[in-house]
Amino acid sequence: IVIIMVLCTAEYCLETTQQLEDKIKEKAQEVYAEQISFTAEMELFSNTITTCLQELVGQLDSQCEPAFAAMLKVNWSTLDSVGDQSAYTTAITSHLSSTIPIVRDLLANSA
């Protein structure tokens, strides 16, 4: 949840920083307006957003890792038939089904 709060805050700051730059340029004398740039600050917010998204995906991946690791240990060549759904896919689906709606709702409510 903390990552989502940081992500939403960074998105808000990125948006308002651009608006602030535009407003300051509008109010400043023309010779100074060309020198006003918050590009470096906006890049920092953008990088923060990217880092947060990478962390969210990394957390989802690490929480599914036990099922992935168990799948890798199976000697698939010895299986005679394919079943309906394995315990691995059930574990991964269960985790994603319980986690993604929470993340989605938090991100949707922040907009």
Side-chain angles (χ1 to χ4, degrees), residues 9-78:
T9 302
E11 286 179 331
Y12 174 79
C13 290
L14 178 62
E15 192 175 304
T16 56
T17 301
Q18 179 63 56
Q19 293 169 358
L20 178 62
E21 178 183 317
D22 294 342
K23 190 58 90 174
I24 291 173
K25 284 181 177 181
E26 180 183 302
K27 301 286 183 184
Q29 294 177 7
E30 196 170 319
V31 292
Y32 298 116
E34 295 175 9
Q35 299 173 16
I36 298 170
S37 174
F38 291 170
T39 302
E41 291 77 9
M42 288 186 284
E43 285 179 12
L44 289 172
F45 291 126
S46 182
N47 290 340
T48 301
I49 292 166
T50 300
T51 301
C52 288
L53 291 173
Q54 289 171 338
E55 184 62 28
L56 281 173
V57 170
Q59 284 184 6
L60 282 174
D61 182 50
S62 68
Q63 291 169 346
C64 294
E65 184 59 34
F68 291 139
M71 284 174 44
L72 288 173
K73 293 179 182 176
V74 172
N75 185 355
W76 295 99
S77 64
T78 62

